[in-house]
């Protein structure tokens, strides 16, 4: 008698469009499509497990505890995160970008124009250390840290005065500013970051299986098709699909 394969439990922090977000109460987005395709390649049922903590970094605690098998959440690879999780080969290259309400701050065209202004970031996001460094260098006036799930509130407050600028990966800000009057992405590629799936430390078998499946999706064109659909790199980002 054949035993069914265990489900592939995928953890994502919501919302983070176009990587993952809810549409009609169902998860959709690049990472959703990618991990569903990977699960099919592995012959495993796909299961979504939302991470809803205020701090993105706690997603790695949940990974280590076994709440899910893989983190797929537009996740940037960093040195400190490598100490907490094992990353697969990157599937996309992106960077931090900057959004402002150009009606409030018409002179702000990038990081060089942030002197005296308050920049918003999400707690645990890789934009946080970037802005903290700018603050230490006297290049911004302050930093406001929002809970991870408060990104919509943060972008609304660009227009009401809660913060003056907001920093986040390019594809996300491009997506979220589409329907906000006067809120525009004024600078892309502030950093260069690689984005990848992550599994528990020591889970070399699953990491190898995911990398093999990801490589197959790159070779048959599936990965490029998903990137073109969700993450069109019109901001100067580069792809790492092969």
């Amino acid at each position: 008698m054949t035993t069914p394969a265990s489900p592939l439990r995928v953890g994502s922090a919501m919302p983070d469009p176009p990587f993952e977000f809810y549409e009609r109460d169902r998860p959709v987005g690049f990472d959703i499509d990618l991990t569903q395709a990977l699960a099919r390649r592995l012959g495993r049922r796909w299961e979504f497990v939302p991470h809803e903590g205020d701090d993105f970094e706690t997603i790695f605690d949940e990974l280590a505890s076994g709440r899910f098998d893989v983190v797929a959440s537009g996740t940037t690879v960093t040195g400190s995160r490598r100490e907490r999780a094992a990353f697969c080969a990157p599937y996309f290259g992106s960077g931090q970008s900057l959004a402002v309400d150009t009606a409030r701050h018409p002179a702000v065209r990038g990081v060089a124009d942030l002197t005296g202004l308050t920049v918003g970031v999400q707690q645990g996001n890789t934009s946080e250390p970037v802005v903290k460094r700018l603050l230490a260098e006297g290049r911004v006036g302050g930093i406001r840290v929002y809970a991870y799930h408060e990104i919509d509130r943060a972008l609304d407050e660009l227009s009401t005065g809660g913060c003056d600028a907001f920093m986040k990966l390019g594809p996300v800000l491009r997506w979220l500013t589409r329907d906000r009057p006067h809120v525009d992405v004024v600078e892309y590629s502030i950093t260069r970051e690689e984005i990848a799936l992550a599994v528990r430390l020591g889970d070399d078998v699953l990491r190898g299986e995911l990398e093999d499946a990801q490589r197959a999706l790159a070779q048959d064109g599936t990965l490029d098709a998903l990137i073109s659909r969700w993450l069109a790199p019109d901001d100067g980002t580069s792809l790492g699909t092969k």
Side-chain angles (χ1 to χ4, degrees):
M1 181 175 177
T2 301
T3 301
S6 60
L8 182 68
R9 296 169 302 161
V10 177
S12 301
M14 305 288 277
D16 198 34
F19 291 101
E20 46 271 326
F21 59 103
Y22 288 116
E23 187 173 83
R24 299 184 183 90
D25 297 323
R26 296 182 59 187
V28 296
F30 175 87
D31 284 325
I32 306 303
D33 285 353
L34 173 61
T35 53
Q36 287 177 340
L38 291 171
R40 286 193 294 270
R41 295 283 312 186
L42 299 179
R44 297 175 65 172
R45 180 168 56 86
W46 180 86
E47 184 177 308
F48 180 70
V49 184
H51 164 75
E52 297 174 343
D54 290 344
D55 186 337
F56 180 79
E57 290 295 328
T58 60
I59 200 170
F60 299 107
D61 297 328
E62 293 183 277
L63 175 66
S65 73
R67 185 164 184 251
F68 30 76
D69 306 303
V70 57
V71 171
S73 196
T75 309
T76 294
V77 182
T78 69
S80 62
R81 289 175 178 176
R82 284 190 183 277
E83 296 177 357
R84 307 176 65 191
F87 284 88
C88 298
Y91 61 71
F92 190 67
S94 188
Q96 297 298 326
S97 59
L98 191 73
V100 299
D101 184 320
T102 53
R104 286 188 64 223
H105 294 293
V108 175
R109 308 309 302 169
V111 171
D113 306 314
L114 293 175
T115 302
L117 301 181
T118 297
V119 182
V121 297
Q122 288 169 294
Q123 187 174 6
N125 188 260
T126 48
S127 58
E128 189 175 0
V130 175
V131 178
K132 284 183 175 179
R133 185 168 58 250
L134 294 173
L135 181 62
E137 295 170 353
R139 299 172 62 189
V140 302
I143 180 172
R144 180 165 183 185
V145 180
Y146 293 85
Y148 196 83
H149 61 274
E150 292 182 322
I151 188 168
D152 285 314
R153 173 190 169 194
L155 293 175
D156 288 342
E157 291 189 352
L158 289 174
S159 301
T160 61
C163 62
D164 299 302
F166 192 84
M167 188 176 289
K168 178 74 174 177
L169 285 181
V172 182
L173 276 191
R174 183 173 57 243
W175 185 280
L176 290 175
T177 58
R178 296 178 306 173
D179 299 321
R180 284 182 165 81
H182 308 299
V183 176
D184 297 307
V185 182
V186 295
E187 184 177 9
Y188 287 101
S189 302
I190 296 167
T191 60
R192 177 66 175 85
E193 303 179 25
E194 292 185 328
I195 299 171
L197 305 176
V199 301
R200 282 184 292 279
L201 288 172
D203 198 347
D204 297 332
V205 172
L206 179 57
R207 181 172 65 168
E209 290 174 345
L210 288 171
E211 286 190 331
D212 288 345
Q214 182 175 302
R215 192 175 302 113
L217 295 180
Q219 291 171 348
D220 70 13
T222 300
L223 187 52
D224 278 342
L226 292 179
I227 288 172
S228 295
R229 176 186 179 188
W230 292 108
L231 308 174
D234 59 1
D235 57 5
T237 55
S238 61
L239 309 182
T241 61
K242 298 296 190 285

